[in-house]
Amino acid sequence: MDRDHTFDLPDLTEDFWKTVVFAQKEHPSGMGGPGCVWLVSEDGKVYFFGFEETPFYKCDELFPIFETTDERIGWHYKYKAEDHGWKYLEKENALIREDILDAYSKAAAEEKQTNEKFWYLYGPKLAGLAIGVDHLERYDYIGSVLYMEKIEQEMAEHQKTWEKDKLTENEFDWKPMHMNNIPDNPEMGVYALLMRRDDEKIKGVKYSILYQYEESSPMLFDSDAEIEAYILFCEDYDDIIGPWDYHSVSRQECAELYGKENHFPPELAYYDWITFSDGDIHNFGRFLRTFQSLEEAKEYAMYYANVNSGGINRKTILKQEEESRMEDHANRIAHYEAYQMYRKHYKEILDAISEENCFPDSCSGGGVYLRDAILKKVPEITEEQLRMIWRELPFVLEKRTQDWIERERQFSEKYIREQRKETEGVF
């Protein structure tokens, strides 16, 4: 910023205040604006003071022209200056010297006539016109200048880091998306998963690009229909448990599984209660935009992820490699232990639910209070274990659930033992 046109508070001497013809203060905004003060002098200069590092309540102390009396007029207290040749402008929240008030009002009327839709009149500019100056010479408070220089430097450093760590095409592993997650079905789009670790949890986001096929008539598609649009969706996940992707099952595998038993296969039922269940592939999330080409949709998804990634970048992104499979199986064992703790202390947990007289959901209807009550009632259960079984409190009572979890535990323990042997004890 220009340091040649700056001022400091000691520069606002008694002689300076004798030259001031206009004084306006803007209160801090609810959106984070710090507030400011504008001063216009009769020699054609405008002074700007920002409250970036100064509390706004010190405004009257720093600028004596804003000192008030005990007399209240409407919503504000009367200024002392109003008894000494100044007029208060309510719309601008400013004080103006009475000898230029008529010229100020005339300039405001001409400004409105020039642009009838211009609802906000810039007070300092009108004050300059009132004293016959078209372009005021601006001076900024040195503290505001130094503060902005610091912010600009921090933003430049942040931009360098962002450019270095931002996501590229290599981080987007786009996979085909099929109806009911069965590869034999026609492809209905593609999806990509991005995940990171935060606060001992796996968080992530899914980008889905749904193909919009041309219709020969409403709800009727030809087998060779062309894709006429690519629709981009986004879905956030705050706590990913289980596999880091969808478990695709072919029609033949489904037939074999369904042929063995007359209910949903246990292997698939377990995943139905985890983040990436097969049915979740149809959960596209919120709509972002529609594109004419797949390349455009993927490019926008990458841009959107870099701007709204929630902390996911090349430095923090987790790779879906063998370590993720190991973590998946470790999570299954942790789930087993959590279920067993519930099995052991379910009476105390039910007592806590009964005493709190609320449903174990996650909203303000009682979820937070109920979790605290259960943890207090059963100190043996950790908060992480309670989180694991929270959605499934009614579900864990079933005997078949316990059997499924038991099989998953045995399978995962065997998997980890074999992997440890292959990696010579490194986990």
Side-chain angles (χ1 to χ4, degrees):
M1 296 182 67
D2 184 9
R3 290 198 184 186
D4 295 333
H5 288 71
T6 60
F7 72 95
D8 205 349
L9 289 174
D11 299 330
L12 307 184
T13 62
E14 186 175 346
D15 291 336
F16 166 80
W17 284 109
K18 292 179 181 179
T19 68
V20 175
V21 298
F22 180 87
Q24 180 183 38
K25 63 177 177 180
E26 297 183 5
H27 290 270
S29 70
M31 300 301 291
C36 66
V37 163
W38 296 94
L39 302 173
V40 178
S41 62
E42 58 189 11
D43 57 353
K45 297 177 181 178
V46 58
Y47 298 83
F48 170 83
F49 180 94
F51 289 89
E52 293 86 2
E53 296 184 319
T54 305
F56 187 80
Y57 64 80
K58 290 189 175 183
C59 179
D60 298 356
E61 177 184 336
L62 298 175
F63 304 97
I65 195 172
F66 293 120
E67 291 182 7
T68 58
T69 66
D70 295 334
E71 182 182 354
R72 191 175 184 89
I73 302 176
W75 62 272
H76 79 284
Y77 286 95
K78 182 180 179 181
Y79 292 103
K80 292 182 179 180
E82 293 183 72
D83 293 328
H84 298 85
W86 290 78
K87 180 71 174 178
Y88 175 67
L89 304 175
E90 183 175 357
K91 186 176 182 180
E92 293 88 339
N93 191 26
L95 288 167
I96 186 170
R97 228 164 57 182
E98 290 183 348
D99 59 330
I100 68 166
L101 180 58
D102 291 340
Y104 180 93
S105 301
K106 181 179 179 181
E110 292 176 352
E111 196 76 14
K112 288 181 179 178
Q113 189 175 8
T114 302
N115 189 350
E116 296 180 356
K117 296 182 179 179
F118 195 69
W119 63 273
Y120 176 77
L121 298 178
Y122 182 48
K125 177 185 177 181
L126 297 178
L129 295 175
I131 60 175
V133 179
D134 292 332
H135 301 286
L136 295 170
E137 186 178 5
R138 174 167 170 167
Y139 286 78
D140 291 278
Y141 171 56
I142 185 63
S144 298
V145 173
L146 295 176
Y147 177 84
M148 291 306 300
E149 287 180 352
K150 183 181 71 172
I151 294 298
E152 289 173 0
Q153 184 178 0
E154 292 176 355
M155 291 299 293
E157 293 296 326
H158 177 75
Q159 182 69 18
K160 289 181 181 178
T161 303
W162 183 81
E163 289 289 345
K164 179 182 177 182
D165 297 334
K166 71 177 182 180
L167 299 167
T168 65
E169 295 179 357
N170 297 330
E171 282 70 51
F172 283 79
D173 183 17
W174 293 100
K175 298 181 179 180
M177 184 167 50
H178 302 274
M179 183 68 67
N180 296 325
N181 201 32
I182 299 177
D184 298 338
N185 286 338
E187 184 174 321
M188 62 178 184
V190 294
Y191 71 93
L193 298 171
L194 308 175
M195 288 174 279
R196 70 183 179 96
R197 192 183 306 278
D198 179 44
D199 193 23
E200 301 303 322
K201 297 179 181 179
I202 303 298
K203 299 185 178 182
V205 60
K206 176 179 70 173
Y207 292 95
S208 302
I209 301 176
L210 185 65
Y211 300 158
Q212 177 177 305
Y213 288 96
E214 184 180 358
E215 296 180 350
S216 56
S217 65
M219 299 299 292
L220 180 61
F221 302 87
D222 293 330
S223 58
D224 57 348
E226 295 184 356
I227 301 175
E228 59 183 6
Y230 300 82
I231 310 173
L232 178 63
F233 298 87
C234 175
E235 176 69 358
D236 296 309
Y237 296 92
D238 290 331
D239 190 6
I240 297 173
I241 300 174
W244 288 13
D245 210 337
Y246 300 103
H247 177 61
S248 298
V249 180
S250 67
R251 291 183 182 276
Q252 182 179 354
E253 289 174 305
C254 283
E256 293 175 355
L257 289 170
Y258 280 106
K260 292 180 180 179
E261 301 180 37
N262 193 26
H263 59 77
F264 202 71
E267 292 80 2
L268 300 182
Y270 173 76
Y271 286 105
D272 191 51
W273 289 89
I274 303 181
T275 304
F276 292 118
S277 63
D278 290 346
D280 185 71
I281 199 168
H282 299 287
N283 180 23
F284 307 120
R286 63 185 183 277
F287 165 78
L288 294 183
R289 286 199 66 178
T290 299
F291 300 88
Q292 295 300 311
S293 70
L294 183 59
E295 291 72 21
E296 288 179 323
K298 289 182 177 180
E299 183 178 353
Y300 187 88
M302 182 176 64
Y303 171 80
Y304 188 90
N306 279 311
V307 177
N308 304 276
S309 62
I312 301 177
N313 53 43
R314 278 191 291 179
K315 194 174 182 179
T316 61
I317 192 170
L318 297 176
K319 301 296 183 181
Q320 300 183 47
E321 298 174 349
E322 187 55 42
E323 59 179 286
S324 69
R325 296 294 302 152
M326 294 289 285
E327 187 165 316
D328 172 23
H329 290 287
N331 280 337
R332 297 190 201 188
I333 295 175
H335 266 71
Y336 168 80
E337 295 171 350
Y339 275 61
Q340 296 312 308
M341 289 297 293
Y342 180 85
R343 196 176 194 177
K344 181 179 180 181
H345 299 284
Y346 77 94
K347 291 183 179 180
E348 294 94 322
I349 293 176
L350 293 179
D351 288 342
I353 295 174
S354 177
E355 292 172 4
E356 290 296 316
N357 192 27
C358 59
F359 188 76
D361 58 9
S362 58
C363 68
S364 58
V368 176
Y369 309 105
L370 183 55
R371 282 198 295 269
D372 293 341
I374 293 175
L375 293 173
K376 184 177 180 180
K377 191 89 170 180
V378 191
E380 294 85 355
I381 294 182
T382 66
E383 186 173 355
E384 181 70 9
Q385 289 176 326
L386 184 59
R387 180 184 63 81
M388 289 180 179
I389 64 172
W390 190 253
R391 291 186 305 169
E392 307 157 24
L393 285 180
F395 188 64
V396 297
L397 295 174
E398 298 180 1
K399 178 65 167 61
R400 63 174 182 172
T401 302
Q402 298 296 330
D403 295 336
W404 297 341
I405 299 299
E406 173 66 20
R407 287 197 295 268
E408 293 287 346
R409 180 188 69 86
Q410 295 174 0
F411 174 69
S412 295
E413 287 180 340
K414 178 182 177 181
Y415 181 94
I416 290 178
R417 284 196 302 267
E418 293 175 351
Q419 291 298 314
R420 282 175 174 170
K421 291 179 182 179
E422 294 179 4
T423 57
E424 299 180 353
V426 179
F427 178 43

